[in-house]
Amino acid sequence: MSGSGGNHLYYGDNLSVLREGIGDASVDLVYLDPPFNSNATYSHLFKDESGQVSGAQIAAFDDTWHWDDMVSGQALIELRDSPHQEAAKMLDAMVGFLGKNPMTAYLAMMAVRLVELHRVLKPTGSLYLHCDPTASHYLKILLDAVFGASNFRSEIIWKRTSAHANAKRNFAAVHDVLLLFSKTKGFLHNESYGPYSQEYIDEHFVHLDPDGRRFRRSDLVNPAVRPNLRYEFTASNGITYQPHQNGWKVSKEVMEQLDREGRLFFPKKENARLRKKIYLDESPGVPLTDVWDEPRPIHASAAERLGYPTQKPVALLERILAASSNPGDVVLDPFCGCGTTVHAAQKLGRQWIGIDITHLAINLIETRLYDAFEGQAAFTVHGVPQDIGGARDFFDRDDKTKKEFEKWACGLIKAYPQGGGKKGADGGIDGLFRFGPAREHTAIVSVKGGKNVGVAMVKDLDATVTEQNAQIGVFLTLTPPTKPMLDWARGAGTFQVDGFDPVPRLQIITVEEAMQNGPRAVNTPLRHGSPYKKAAREEDARAQGSLDL
């Protein structure tokens, strides 16, 4: 178990991370937004810094599920052998009713993870599962089985978009579902409020102080009979007010304080009741219901948008965190994607744990937190190489990790990974980045992890740079380059941007150099930054405390 304190970002399968890295009853709040079973293939996860989608497919995840006895069937067996017999019975019933198909494969994947999320929650903790109506009803049944039906708290409807063209033969699908469960009846909940509508403000906050401060009037009569609160009150206007037969709502001392602070409303009519001013700028808002038509979704032109297709607004996560956690509490997102949950947690002073299975997401989250909090967000990244020995081990692990190694290596120099994970699909291009005054120039990255690197590979990169009309080629190698490789690179010439010194057209960089120097390992005019859209800076970034897992 991790016990080093601080915030934690994990690369890996969240089921393994939960089982091996997160302790029992160590988390105060779980939010998860798993890939929906909506038959959508998110092959273009990110736009690069120019705003263009890469021509290569980046299939970092695919939320079309297929039943596989080695995966889905194993999940069902694990549930049957676990203490969560109700969950096992429920999943068995679903498979029996629905059959072995994409939906039940999805539910099997979710069931074993929900069991682990229940385990890591504290008795006062809560879980929000964000989903769409495609599977929300099945997921709620699973949650009933894992958490207990009596611990269901709310089904929140969030309006995520406006009406659009899909309404021609149906009602427009515009909402997501958030299923809220607590671990026990002793769960934490902070009263939550939404903003007043302008119509409500215009109707109720109709009075103005001389300084223009808007307020409404509130009765000071006690709703119950309180003989001890029956007293005459002589206000600062010289008028003595008689109590109602029930008495005042507040003591005489409090009434005098309200008068001193200018918070009493003196009626013009002689027999009218004394009232209290409730100022709009001090009012919490409307108590939240389980239907949310805001925060509004992130539109294409929004400054918050990073280019991730399922990105949620930070304000949505801030609302959830404010309702179900306190500063210093531990927030976990096991499908953290582009990092909205950990961003909100960092902003609100919560400890956080994020898990994702793609290096694209891990790299994006690191960059997002750095940009938003100006390097003040301290966290530990797990599951990625920390030194050159770890890098070699990562590459040598098995054939499945080769493409992930390439994506990780590209991330070291903030290059945008290319390729869909199939051999030969990238056409010899493993990554790219743009540079120059308007990011108008392109650099192509080739990653090589094997020991048999040679000059032929550098020649191939040289040819690719020419064919693609790129300006620079970066050869990123796990093993040191040979002299013929270096000689060819030196002979490939230079590229120059007006007003800057020329730079080598072909640059050979070792993975070790990239680990040590990051993007600075590459020599480009106007050093390139993240391939993703830069996150807006948070003005109230704050340091985090400790976390015991």
Side-chain angles (χ1 to χ4, degrees):
M1 301 292 176
S2 175
S4 58
N7 302 313
H8 298 269
L9 182 59
Y10 288 87
Y11 162 72
D13 181 344
N14 53 25
L15 184 60
S16 298
V17 173
L18 286 167
R19 288 173 172 172
E20 300 168 11
I22 313 298
D24 295 352
S26 61
V27 172
D28 295 282
L29 172 63
V30 172
Y31 168 86
L32 65 158
D33 181 14
F36 298 159
N37 186 41
S38 55
N39 295 321
T41 302
Y42 295 106
S43 54
H44 293 304
L45 273 189
F46 303 105
K47 291 182 178 180
D48 66 19
E49 59 196 356
S50 72
Q52 298 299 312
V53 176
S54 166
Q57 300 291 308
I58 303 181
F61 69 84
D62 178 345
D63 71 352
T64 301
W65 301 91
H66 305 279
W67 184 276
D68 182 337
D69 284 335
M70 294 296 292
V71 179
S72 310
Q74 180 61 33
L76 186 52
I77 291 170
E78 289 180 10
L79 278 182
R80 290 170 181 162
D81 293 338
S82 77
H84 288 266
Q85 289 302 300
E86 294 302 315
K89 291 177 184 177
M90 192 60 69
L91 186 57
D92 262 327
M94 288 179 172
V95 174
F97 176 68
L98 298 171
K100 294 181 178 180
N101 55 38
M103 176 61 77
T104 50
Y106 177 78
L107 295 172
M109 181 278 294
M110 288 299 303
V112 288
R113 286 160 175 80
L114 291 174
V115 165
E116 294 301 322
L117 293 171
H118 180 272
R119 175 185 62 80
V120 304
L121 269 178
K122 294 178 182 178
T124 53
S126 298
L127 176 144
Y128 289 76
L129 197 163
H130 193 140
C131 52
D132 72 2
T134 307
S136 61
H137 48 307
Y138 297 124
L139 290 169
K140 185 179 184 298
I141 293 173
L142 274 182
L143 285 163
D144 282 342
V146 175
F147 282 76
S150 63
N151 287 318
F152 166 70
R153 299 295 160 222
S154 294
E155 180 183 68
I156 299 164
I157 303 301
W158 176 53
K159 185 179 178 182
R160 59 174 172 78
T161 186
S162 301
H164 43 73
N166 73 348
K168 290 181 179 180
R169 293 183 58 83
N170 205 342
F171 295 110
V174 298
H175 80 276
D176 284 353
V177 177
L178 289 94
L179 299 171
L180 170 58
F181 278 74
S182 65
K183 189 167 185 177
T184 68
K185 287 181 170 57
F187 63 98
L188 169 71
H189 180 76
N190 300 316
E191 194 167 3
S192 303
Y193 300 87
Y196 294 119
S197 68
Q198 190 59 50
E199 180 182 9
Y200 182 91
I201 293 172
D202 293 341
E203 182 179 349
H204 292 86
F205 290 88
V206 296
H207 303 283
L208 295 175
D209 269 351
D211 61 359
R213 198 175 181 196
R214 188 179 289 271
F215 67 90
R216 65 176 177 86
R217 298 174 300 173
S218 176
D219 203 340
L220 281 169
V221 172
N222 204 300
V225 177
R226 295 290 300 275
N228 62 317
L229 292 178
R230 291 183 189 143
Y231 57 85
E232 290 185 343
F233 177 67
T234 302
S236 57
N237 63 356
I239 298 176
T240 299
Y241 295 91
Q242 300 299 321
H244 185 273
Q245 63 181 5
N246 282 7
W248 302 104
K249 274 186 178 179
V250 298
S251 67
K252 190 171 185 178
E253 292 76 17
V254 172
M255 189 77 83
E256 290 171 345
Q257 181 179 350
L258 291 172
D259 194 12
R260 288 194 299 272
E261 294 176 351
R263 292 176 179 269
L264 292 180
F265 180 82
F266 302 125
K268 294 180 180 179
K269 295 182 180 180
E270 183 176 346
N271 295 324
R273 293 199 299 267
L274 188 65
R275 294 176 183 270
K276 176 184 175 182
K277 296 178 182 179
I278 304 295
Y279 288 102
L280 175 61
D281 57 17
E282 293 179 348
S283 299
V286 181
L288 285 182
T289 69
D290 58 6
V291 178
W292 299 355
D293 58 6
E294 45 79 36
R296 303 302 299 157
I298 304 173
H299 295 292
S301 59
E304 186 180 340
R305 178 170 287 281
L306 301 174
Y308 197 88
T310 59
Q311 182 181 354
K312 303 302 184 293
V314 172
L316 177 66
L317 273 300
E318 288 184 56
R319 173 177 288 186
I320 291 169
L321 268 60
S324 298
S325 70
N326 291 324
D329 283 353
V330 182
V331 178
L332 165 65
D333 186 342
F335 295 89
C336 62
C338 64
T340 302
T341 303
V342 301
H343 184 148
Q346 183 76 29
K347 182 178 179 180
L348 297 183
R350 273 66 167 168
Q351 301 290 333
W352 55 262
I353 305 167
I355 310 170
D356 203 271
I357 199 168
T358 73
H359 280 294
L360 283 169
I362 299 301
N363 182 254
L364 173 57
I365 294 168
E366 290 184 271
T367 304
R368 176 180 188 171
L369 293 176
Y370 184 87
D371 289 340
F373 299 95
E374 295 193 312
Q376 298 179 40
F379 55 93
T380 302
V381 182
H382 303 266
V384 299
Q386 302 297 320
D387 53 33
I388 191 62
R392 293 192 183 101
D393 177 69
F394 184 19
F395 180 80
D396 291 335
R397 221 168 285 167
D398 55 58
D399 289 340
K400 294 180 181 179
T401 64
K402 297 296 190 287
K403 281 293 176 184
E404 284 300 308
F405 174 85
E406 291 173 1
K407 294 173 186 176
W408 167 78
C410 285
L412 294 174
I413 58 172
K414 301 301 183 189
Y416 176 62
Q418 303 294 289
K422 296 180 180 180
K423 187 174 181 180
D426 53 28
I429 303 174
D430 298 317
L432 61 82
F433 61 84
R434 289 184 169 84
F435 64 95
R439 300 295 192 262
E440 70 272 35
H441 302 301
T442 301
I444 288 175
V445 180
S446 176
V447 179
K448 300 300 178 185
K451 297 179 180 179
N452 298 320
V453 294
V455 69
M457 297 176 179
V458 180
K459 291 179 181 180
D460 288 343
L461 176 60
D462 192 351
T464 301
V465 169
T466 301
E467 291 168 2
Q468 298 294 322
N469 294 317
Q471 286 70 50
I472 288 176
V474 177
F475 191 87
L476 192 54
T477 174
L478 186 59
T479 56
T482 64
K483 184 177 182 301
M485 293 168 64
L486 295 171
D487 289 342
W488 186 276
R490 279 191 288 267
T494 60
F495 174 74
Q496 186 170 12
V497 173
D498 289 344
F500 295 88
D501 293 334
V503 299
R505 180 172 167 274
L506 292 184
Q507 301 180 31
I508 301 178
I509 300 168
T510 65
V511 168
E512 188 168 17
E513 290 170 337
M515 293 180 73
Q516 292 171 352
N517 301 312
R520 293 186 300 275
V522 184
N523 186 2
T524 57
L526 294 181
R527 181 170 63 88
H528 69 286
S530 169
Y532 317 115
K533 185 177 176 183
K534 188 173 182 179
R537 175 175 175 261
E538 291 288 355
E539 295 294 332
D540 59 344
R542 61 197 71 185
Q544 300 297 291
S546 62
L547 166 63
D548 294 322
L549 296 178

